[in-house]
Amino acid sequence: ACPRGQFQPSEGKITDCSLCPTGTYQDKEGQITCTNCTGAGKYTEKIEGATSCTGCGAGNFYNSTLTTTNKCQKCPAGTYSVGDTDTCTACPAGTVSKAGAKACTPCTCDTYAKNNVCVKIPVGYYSHDVGNQFSRVASGTPLSEANISICPKGYKCPQDGTCGANLTACPAGSYQNQT
């Protein structure tokens, strides 16, 4: 019987074993065919004679253009993967990631995402929630639609931006007429 990683192309000829071709595997002895590695991000570590398929795992993707036997590559910064995929997914608005990320991280409510970095909200502004995508403002979106607003009259915003819940009302007998 042919060993694992090989198959018997001609039935009845035990001495006629062939290696499973690249992209296929055989995990049982004495088989007459090999099985294709199917599914996104699945590949064989060996060029020929593989006994199993391998997945790329979370934070990585399968890159068929690599010339090495291991065709897994880290997802670039600003993207992520949950594993066994041919591509990485872009982080949603208001989130960031490092290379090889399994998930994206939301920016805190006193920051916004710009070029895959959480940046402090500018002086005189505050955010309404976690995960702001301030870069939308640069493309002409009004601040209010980006969940970032100018500090309202009658309230004090810290010098480095703040979360909406942290707005401080002016004390009785005083006012704030600047934004």
Side-chain angles (χ1 to χ4, degrees):
C2 294
R4 295 174 42 195
Q6 297 183 19
F7 69 105
Q8 185 180 348
S10 302
E11 198 169 336
K13 294 185 179 180
I14 296 174
T15 58
D16 235 3
C17 293
S18 298
L19 293 173
C20 289
T22 301
T24 67
Y25 72 99
Q26 185 47 260
D27 59 353
K28 297 180 180 98
E29 292 182 3
Q31 302 300 306
I32 58 170
T33 61
C34 295
T35 305
N36 286 325
C37 286
T38 57
K42 298 286 187 181
Y43 70 100
T44 56
E45 289 183 338
K46 291 183 174 183
I47 301 299
E48 294 178 323
T51 59
S52 66
C53 289
T54 303
C56 289
N60 300 288
F61 70 101
Y62 177 77
N63 185 345
S64 62
T65 62
L66 292 176
T67 56
T68 60
T69 54
N70 183 348
K71 297 189 182 289
C72 292
Q73 192 171 2
K74 279 185 176 183
C75 289
T79 66
Y80 72 100
S81 88
V82 294
D84 298 343
T85 181
D86 294 333
T87 58
C88 298
T89 304
C91 287
T95 65
V96 297
S97 75
K98 294 180 180 177
K102 299 173 187 174
C104 298
T105 305
C107 290
T108 59
C109 67
D110 61 342
T111 62
Y112 61 91
K114 184 175 183 180
N115 300 325
N116 198 44
V117 176
C118 292
V119 179
K120 288 297 246 178
I121 293 174
V123 173
Y125 289 86
Y126 75 100
S127 76
H128 300 271
D129 59 15
V130 173
N132 292 298
Q133 179 61 19
F134 193 74
S135 61
R136 290 183 290 177
V137 174
S139 65
T141 303
L143 288 170
S144 60
E145 290 180 30
N147 291 326
I148 298 172
S149 299
I150 293 174
C151 192
K153 291 179 180 179
Y155 287 85
K156 179 177 171 44
C157 288
Q159 292 300 307
D160 61 352
T162 187
C163 304
N166 295 333
L167 287 177
T168 306
C170 294
S174 65
Y175 70 97
Q176 170 71 1
N177 65 356
Q178 297 177 347
T179 56

